[in-house]
Amino acid sequence: MNPSAQLRREIADRVARELLVSRLAREVWLEGALACGFAHAASDVDLRGIVDGVLPAWESRIVDGVRIDLQAAAPQQAEELRHLLRSFDVRRDDLGSFRRVRASMHDLMCLRTALSYGSGRWDPVLDPGERRGYRRWAVADQAEVAASLAEDLTGLVEDGLAEPADVVCRKLEICLTALECAAAGHPVLGDKWLPLLAGAPFGPPIHPARAETWEWFRPVQRRVARALLDCWPVDDPLQKPPNLTAPNAGWLPQRYADGWFLRRGDVHIPITGGQLLGWLSTVSTDGA
């Protein structure tokens, strides 16, 4: 833990003790990057007090030159979020639950990172099953973001709009790194922390200038597929994938509770796990 993070942890300890001793909160949670051990010289401290009854209107405060962002939440609010993590029930023909969870991803990230203060130490709020639930939803969410960016990118490339394509490429590279971090079990903290979570620089740059063969898109397909397979392993025998319309760029896998799909834009083709492995093999033939 670097000095900036250490200082903020010590301040978080003090403020948490004050809230508990004064009975202003029945629990105090440390959330976000600092709960994962990350901070920089201008980082805030995010604390959430679990409060019975009427929620107080807390304001931020400055402690030893560090801003403390205090929020109050009712126990039932936290329980509603935890309930979302206990099942992955999104189905292709009913995306209502997916939309509800995606709208709450920031709150779920805070809950995923949350540490509760007690007896001089910080302990995880979520149990291992709930942490696995966050992983599933975070991977599915980032795969959805990747699919949306891929749709924009392939359209821009087809129309020869190089400058906007470069912007979307960078966004897609960041998204793929976030996807891989989520698949590895990390919370999706935000772009600036991704290099620390990934433990390595962002993946190889995407070069859509090679649009003649669409080979440039294959690393995207492989990275999305492998991240999803990390979260939902497949041990089926490899099978021949379905025939896809040309060009092959734009097709990405998705995993819902009712199985695997290949998606391009609004087209979803259901596939088996073995067909997914066969499709991954076909997009891995360039040796990368």
Side-chain angles (χ1 to χ4, degrees):
M1 190 179 296
N2 66 26
S4 293
Q6 184 63 43
L7 169 63
R8 283 156 178 78
R9 275 294 188 99
E10 294 170 358
I11 293 172
D13 289 356
R14 286 159 44 195
V15 176
R17 283 195 297 268
E18 291 171 6
L19 292 171
L20 293 172
V21 169
S22 63
R23 299 187 182 277
L24 292 175
R26 76 181 209 185
E27 288 184 69
V28 179
W29 296 354
L30 175 65
E31 299 177 341
L34 182 59
C36 299
F38 304 136
H40 55 73
S43 289
D44 297 339
V45 175
D46 295 319
L47 291 177
R48 185 183 305 272
I50 306 301
V51 177
D52 293 316
V54 178
L55 296 182
W58 285 335
E59 296 183 353
S60 298
R61 64 177 74 169
I62 305 297
V63 177
D64 293 346
V66 175
R67 179 181 297 276
I68 310 297
D69 282 339
L70 283 173
Q71 297 187 53
Q76 61 268 28
Q77 291 175 311
E79 181 57 30
E80 288 170 2
L81 287 174
R82 295 180 81 153
H83 178 74
L84 295 176
L85 301 179
R86 293 171 184 153
S87 66
F88 183 78
D89 59 356
V90 56
R91 303 179 65 86
R92 176 67 195 102
D93 58 357
D94 181 11
L95 298 178
S97 62
F98 198 16
R99 295 189 182 99
R100 288 193 296 274
V101 172
R102 294 195 75 204
S104 303
M105 285 308 299
H106 176 75
D107 291 334
L108 290 174
M109 180 277 291
C110 292
L111 182 61
R112 165 62 180 82
T113 61
L115 303 174
S116 181
Y117 188 79
S119 302
R121 53 183 285 178
W122 295 94
D123 294 311
V125 169
L126 297 185
D127 62 37
E130 292 165 336
R131 290 158 73 96
R132 288 192 295 270
Y134 172 84
R135 180 187 181 215
R136 288 192 294 267
W137 285 114
V139 167
D141 173 61
Q142 290 300 318
E144 185 75 12
V145 175
S148 177
L149 290 170
E151 184 177 3
D152 284 336
L153 180 57
T154 54
L156 291 167
V157 171
E158 286 175 349
D159 278 352
L161 300 174
E163 290 83 2
D166 287 341
V167 174
V168 177
C169 275
R170 183 55 178 165
K171 289 184 177 181
L172 183 54
E173 288 169 8
I174 293 172
C175 171
L176 293 173
T177 302
L179 172 62
E180 290 162 343
C181 286
H186 300 301
V188 182
L189 296 175
D191 295 353
K192 66 176 174 287
W193 301 116
L194 287 178
L196 297 179
L197 289 169
F202 289 168
I206 302 165
H207 295 294
R210 293 178 283 160
E212 301 80 12
T213 62
W214 296 96
E215 291 283 331
W216 59 270
F217 195 72
R218 288 191 171 190
V220 178
Q221 294 170 315
R222 289 193 292 268
R223 292 175 70 183
V224 172
R226 289 167 181 164
L228 290 170
L229 286 167
D230 281 346
C231 197
W232 289 279
V234 168
D235 57 6
D236 299 345
L238 188 146
Q239 295 178 325
K240 181 179 179 181
N243 292 324
L244 302 176
T245 58
N248 286 329
W251 289 99
L252 290 174
Q254 284 187 316
R255 177 62 161 80
Y256 295 142
D258 51 346
W260 290 96
F261 297 84
L262 286 176
R263 170 188 174 183
R264 188 175 194 266
D266 295 325
V267 179
H268 292 75
I269 298 176
I271 56 173
T272 66
Q275 287 177 314
L276 173 66
L277 296 179
W279 177 82
L280 178 58
S281 178
T282 65
V283 299
S284 301
T285 54
D286 63 0

